[in-house]
Amino acid sequence: MLKKSLLALIFISTIFSLTGFAQTDELLEIISVDACDCIKKIPQDVDQESFGTKFEVCLTDYFNENAEMLSLYSESIDGDLDLSELGEEFGTKLGKKLINSCPIFLERITSMQEKAGSDFYEEMLEGNRLIQTQGCKAANEVYSKIINANDQVPDSTLATTYNNRGYCKTQLGDYYGSISDLSKSIEIIPNFVLAHNNRGEAKRYLGDYKSSIDDYTKALEISPQNLTAYNGRGMSYYYNREYEKAQLDYERALQIDSTIGNIYFNLGLLFSSQSEYVESLRYFKKAYNLNPDITDLSYYTAEVYTELELYNEAIATLLADSLTQFDQYNLNDVGANYYYLNKYDSALAYYDKSLKIDDSNYYTYLLRAYAYQDNGAHELAISEFDISISLDSTQFESIYYRGYSTYLLENYEEAIQFYNKAIEIDSSQPEAFDFRARAKFKSENFKGAVDDFSSSLDLYPNDPNIYKERGEAYLKLEDKTKACADFSLAEQLGIEDEEEKELLESLISENCSDD
């Protein structure tokens, strides 16, 4: 007796070898009719193992009873037939033949598979329910139990379980594990659209946008009207900065279903990233009408309002979101919009609320410092800048603006020290050289001022005010030739401020007129 039933050999193609049979197609035609008769004789209520055993006995008897006839098709049959002489190719062909020519065969094996697989299917459904009640970690324990029973699980249930576990691994941040599971699901059922979509999502989270796009494209080949695939591929195109393709996919998704708020939200993000704020706002408003609870919708809508200088609308949008009171980023944005309206006390009040959530964020202290600074409270601003710098000493803005408040308080040597640090962090900012030059000028280090103004002009050579200021430093060094050259360049470029313009004219008149 073989280790596996003949039914298993036929259906899942395991241990037969076709050695000895020269005319397999003719043999299949002959034996498939009698094999079907064998199936009809087996009682309806037997389990899969008994069914296989009875089928094997019946077919063995058939081979032995017809050995003389079968010898015409075999080079090796001599005496009683051992079914181990047959093999997986023969088993596969016989199975396919029976499926096409013996309806009761397909009916019986389908029924038995459903019965055998029903327990695994119910376990899988329980795993699905656990996602909602206890989360993906608990669900994956159930899915893993099913997967470990691999050989006993029907393909459809096994593929779905791999897919579900892969989805959960994505939710848990295990993207490589997710891709492995989803790939196994696709191996079992190559046209499993959901698994292709889920694998595309996992790859997108890894930043593998090209491969993610390939998965979504395959899903659309299988299911051309699949909204999830269009939206998912659109997101991958968006992150890959292929904006036109992203927009096209989002629009195709909306042609399938125009009531999905998330797709309008994605289009809003797309246009916002390209600084097309009016169009972005139009899509965000549509998203609000369909699903106002989309994560971060209020945040990004407020950002667009801010870019459009509609600060009150930005504030209203953020405060209409009940979660804002618990979200540090939203609270900071409320404060920032009050700041843009020059309502510094209101800005500070929301920054205070933000700090109650997290008092270790350097950026919130920086925002508070800006509010104090622009309101003229430089001592208070310096205190906030110092806290910000203590939390993160690598940020150019905190150090640069700390130097600015110090400069306005006329502590020039101290200001120079902060500008030194700022320039060490980022030497590409001309403003840092400008203010260090001014501090040096106030400290009567005129040569140092000229050097810093020159460094600033190397970075941005079209600033008439800096030419004027460098010219003034040259005057202090008694170099009228260079001073007048700078004054001339400042005049050519054109100073906009009327007071500074009059000062430049006076400097030229007093120092650069021909004798």
Side-chain angles (χ1 to χ4, degrees):
M1 185 65 67
L2 302 177
K3 291 182 179 179
K4 288 183 179 286
S5 69
L6 185 59
L7 177 65
L9 296 174
I10 289 173
F11 192 66
I12 60 175
S13 308
T14 54
I15 63 173
F16 291 162
S17 96
L18 199 58
T19 305
F21 287 89
Q23 302 179 56
T24 309
D25 291 340
E26 290 87 344
L27 178 65
L28 285 170
E29 288 291 341
I30 294 169
I31 69 170
S32 62
V33 175
D34 290 278
C36 189
D37 287 339
C38 283
I39 294 167
K40 292 176 182 178
K41 295 174 184 177
I42 300 171
Q44 291 281 346
D45 58 351
V46 300
D47 59 22
Q48 183 169 327
E49 184 177 353
S50 298
F51 181 92
T53 300
K54 291 180 181 295
F55 180 54
E56 183 178 326
V57 169
C58 181
L59 199 57
T60 299
D61 289 345
Y62 166 78
F63 272 96
N64 289 331
E65 290 169 5
N66 295 276
E68 184 176 347
M69 179 269 293
L70 294 174
S71 65
L72 298 174
Y73 300 90
S74 172
E75 301 169 0
S76 63
I77 294 178
D78 185 14
D80 289 346
L81 176 71
D82 180 354
L83 290 184
S84 64
E85 294 179 15
L86 300 175
E88 70 177 75
E89 185 177 350
F90 178 81
T92 300
K93 288 187 176 182
L94 178 57
K96 289 180 178 178
K97 184 70 178 177
L98 288 172
I99 287 172
N100 293 321
S101 64
C102 183
I104 194 172
F105 172 68
L106 182 59
E107 179 184 327
R108 294 293 296 275
I109 61 173
T110 300
S111 175
M112 285 184 293
Q113 280 192 321
E114 288 176 351
K115 183 177 180 181
S118 62
D119 289 342
F120 292 113
Y121 182 75
E122 288 299 324
E123 285 185 42
M124 183 189 70
L125 294 180
E126 177 59 25
N128 297 350
R129 287 188 285 269
L130 283 173
I131 294 175
Q132 304 301 321
T133 58
Q134 297 182 37
C136 271
K137 186 174 181 180
N140 275 0
E141 292 179 4
V142 176
Y143 297 145
S144 295
K145 180 181 176 183
I146 297 169
I147 288 168
N148 289 338
N150 191 318
D151 291 342
Q152 306 170 48
V153 184
D155 283 354
S156 60
T157 300
L158 186 60
T160 304
T161 304
Y162 269 120
N163 171 76
N164 294 358
R165 193 173 74 171
Y167 164 82
C168 264
K169 285 182 178 180
T170 294
Q171 304 310 305
L172 294 168
D174 179 10
Y175 305 124
Y176 290 107
S178 172
I179 291 169
S180 176
D181 275 356
L182 293 165
S183 297
K184 289 174 182 174
S185 177
I186 292 166
E187 285 177 16
I188 299 168
I189 302 180
N191 288 343
F192 195 174
V193 172
L194 185 58
H196 282 288
N197 281 338
N198 286 337
R199 191 169 69 174
E201 180 182 36
K203 290 176 179 178
R204 187 175 71 243
Y205 280 120
L206 281 173
D208 185 5
Y209 303 125
K210 184 180 183 302
S211 187
S212 171
I213 289 165
D214 290 342
D215 268 320
Y216 288 122
T217 300
K218 179 62 177 179
L220 288 166
E221 289 174 4
I222 301 165
S223 176
Q225 294 298 304
N226 192 282
L227 182 148
T228 301
Y230 275 123
N231 185 48
R233 191 173 70 174
M235 293 174 70
S236 292
Y237 278 133
Y238 166 74
Y239 287 115
N240 207 39
R241 300 181 183 277
E242 297 180 75
Y243 297 130
E244 290 184 5
K245 291 180 179 179
Q247 181 179 347
L248 184 60
D249 271 356
Y250 291 146
E251 289 172 349
R252 285 171 175 166
L254 289 175
Q255 288 171 7
I256 298 169
D257 188 344
S258 62
T259 67
I260 307 299
N262 283 86
I263 301 173
Y264 289 106
F265 174 65
N266 289 341
L267 277 163
L269 291 176
L270 174 67
F271 284 104
S272 177
S273 69
Q274 299 174 83
S275 301
E276 296 182 37
Y277 299 117
V278 173
E279 191 71 357
S280 173
L281 185 59
R282 183 170 73 87
Y283 282 110
F284 283 148
K285 286 182 175 180
K286 287 186 177 181
Y288 259 110
N289 290 336
L290 292 166
N291 184 6
D293 296 325
I294 294 172
T295 302
D296 291 334
L297 175 56
S298 63
Y299 176 83
Y300 286 107
T301 304
E303 276 199 340
V304 169
Y305 276 128
T306 300
E307 293 292 344
L308 294 171
E309 299 184 6
L310 299 171
Y311 305 125
N312 285 313
E313 288 83 350
I315 292 167
T317 298
L318 290 166
L319 294 182
D321 185 343
S322 61
L323 295 178
T324 289
Q325 300 301 327
F326 309 100
D327 187 311
Q328 184 174 42
Y329 295 101
N330 280 12
L331 289 169
N332 281 345
D333 271 11
V334 174
N337 280 281
Y338 275 122
Y339 167 83
Y340 298 136
L341 290 167
N342 299 325
K343 296 182 178 181
Y344 302 117
D345 289 343
S346 295
L348 289 166
Y350 278 94
Y351 297 148
D352 286 344
K353 291 181 179 182
S354 173
L355 288 172
K356 288 179 181 178
I357 296 173
D358 181 3
D359 64 358
S360 65
N361 188 335
Y362 91 92
Y363 187 64
T364 309
Y365 289 103
L366 177 60
L367 293 175
R368 281 172 57 83
Y370 288 159
Y372 282 127
Q373 187 176 69
D374 283 19
N375 203 28
H378 293 293
E379 294 286 0
L380 292 172
I382 286 172
S383 177
E384 298 295 323
F385 283 129
D386 285 343
I387 298 172
S388 178
I389 293 168
S390 71
L391 292 169
D392 188 342
S393 61
T394 67
Q395 299 300 322
F396 173 87
E397 291 82 1
S398 299
I399 297 169
Y400 168 77
Y401 284 104
R402 168 60 160 89
Y404 179 65
S405 274
T406 307
Y407 172 84
L408 292 179
L409 290 173
E410 300 182 3
N411 298 325
Y412 302 122
E413 292 298 333
E414 185 180 358
I416 289 170
Q417 297 306 311
F418 279 98
Y419 290 129
N420 289 343
K421 293 177 183 176
I423 290 168
E424 284 178 11
I425 293 171
D426 187 352
S427 61
S428 68
Q429 302 296 326
E431 293 89 347
F433 288 104
D434 293 341
F435 274 97
R436 190 170 72 175
R438 290 165 186 150
K440 288 178 179 180
F441 188 97
K442 294 289 187 179
S443 300
E444 300 187 357
N445 179 3
F446 304 119
K447 174 66 169 60
V450 165
D451 291 342
D452 275 348
F453 282 133
S454 298
S455 295
S456 173
L457 289 167
D458 287 341
L459 294 168
Y460 183 72
N462 298 317
D463 190 331
N465 292 289
I466 301 305
Y467 282 112
K468 181 187 84 62
E469 292 184 69
R470 188 174 70 172
E472 291 178 283
Y474 276 129
L475 281 180
K476 292 293 185 180
L477 292 170
E478 300 181 358
D479 190 338
K480 282 191 176 184
T481 301
K482 290 182 179 178
C484 289
D486 275 353
F487 293 152
S488 177
L489 286 169
E491 188 176 41
Q492 291 173 35
L493 290 169
I495 292 179
E496 295 182 2
D497 184 85
E498 286 300 322
E499 186 175 339
E500 290 295 312
K501 186 175 181 180
E502 289 178 9
L503 177 57
L504 175 62
E505 291 172 355
S506 176
L507 288 167
I508 293 173
S509 174
E510 293 174 6
N511 299 285
C512 306
S513 58
D514 294 331
D515 293 329

